[in-house]
Amino acid sequence: GRDDPVASYSGDTNYPATGPTGCADGAEKVVVQPKPVTGGTNGSERTNQLGDTFQDTATLSGVIAGTAPSGTMTFRVYKNDSCTAPAAFGPDPVNVTGADTLSPAYRPTSTGTYWVVVSYSGDSNYTSAGPTGCADGAEKVVVQPKTVTVATNVSPKTVQLGDTFQDTATLSGLIAGTAPSGTMTFTVYKNDSCTLPATFGPTGVSVTGADTLSPVYTPSSTGTYWVVVSYSGDANYTSAGPTGCADGA
């Protein structure tokens, strides 16, 4: 803004009073410009599992005590280190009320490396700032595959010679909206130590969801059979298994 000082002299026994000076006197004009500030972020490289959330804190440096900043802090999240569009999240403007501004919570739906870029709009007292650098290590979030487990359920559990059975392998720990892929491998043994040779398999079946159905098995002799299952994992989920040989399921 602009301040226009006006001066008056009281006078004394030797000099008369004088003033006030003119309000629009150019020599009395003081223009106060917005203070430059810089925008940065707090933290260092972070590592999350798929399904976890992360947030970013943007900090303005150069703020004057007693003069709180306003305006907006805009957050964008990219899944490439050149920060080219489209953004994975945002732009998300957040109202600024102090030196620190917290971003929304972000929950990626795929693994990879994410980068947060922040810009400050400025206000009547402070200049705009940013955007922050794309490859800033403090803005890097590495999202790793989610840990999953596999369990099985054979049906039926008792058959007559000549009948068939199947096994259903179920993955636990999946993220809603992020379907698993990869391969579920089924191997059937006729001993409770699951030593070779296998009676059936190993047979790989493509995974498209939480449950994967094995091939149909038809034993050619009586006895007790044990199914062992392993999941290969994919870009978003860890491998799992093999399941225990003597698992009653």
Side-chain angles (χ1 to χ4, degrees), residues 21-241:
T21 55
C23 179
D25 182 354
E28 296 301 293
K29 179 179 177 181
V30 179
V31 177
V32 180
Q33 297 179 329
K35 185 172 189 307
V37 290
T38 57
T41 55
N42 292 334
S44 56
E45 179 180 323
R46 288 150 285 183
T47 300
N48 283 16
Q49 267 200 355
L50 185 67
D52 294 342
T53 62
F54 67 87
Q55 287 181 279
D56 191 51
T57 300
T59 300
L60 291 174
S61 298
V63 173
I64 304 300
T67 304
S70 58
T72 56
M73 195 73 72
T74 300
F75 297 85
R76 290 177 174 85
V77 181
Y78 297 91
K79 201 182 176 183
N80 60 80
D81 61 5
S82 59
C83 296
T84 50
F89 301 99
D92 294 314
V94 178
N95 289 333
V96 174
T97 58
D100 293 335
T101 303
L102 188 63
S103 77
Y106 298 116
R107 189 190 302 273
T109 58
S110 62
T111 58
T113 302
Y114 294 79
W115 306 86
V116 186
V117 174
V118 180
S119 298
Y120 173 54
S121 65
D123 62 12
S124 60
N125 293 314
Y126 298 104
T127 61
S128 61
T132 54
C134 179
D136 180 357
E139 295 303 286
K140 181 179 179 181
V141 181
V142 178
V143 179
Q144 297 179 331
K146 174 89 164 52
T147 300
V148 293
T149 58
V150 62
T152 62
N153 186 34
V154 173
S155 180
K157 297 190 186 306
T158 301
V159 297
Q160 282 192 342
L161 186 64
D163 291 343
T164 62
F165 69 89
Q166 283 183 284
D167 190 51
T168 300
T170 301
L171 291 173
S172 298
L174 301 178
I175 304 300
T178 304
S181 58
T183 302
M184 196 74 71
T185 301
F186 297 86
T187 308
V188 182
Y189 299 90
K190 199 181 176 183
N191 60 80
D192 62 5
S193 59
C194 296
T195 52
L196 295 173
T199 304
F200 301 102
T203 305
V205 178
S206 294
V207 174
T208 59
D211 293 333
T212 303
L213 192 62
S214 76
V216 176
Y217 300 116
T218 307
S220 59
S221 62
T222 59
T224 302
Y225 293 81
W226 305 88
V227 185
V228 175
V229 179
S230 296
Y231 172 55
S232 66
D234 63 11
N236 293 315
Y237 298 107
T238 60
S239 60

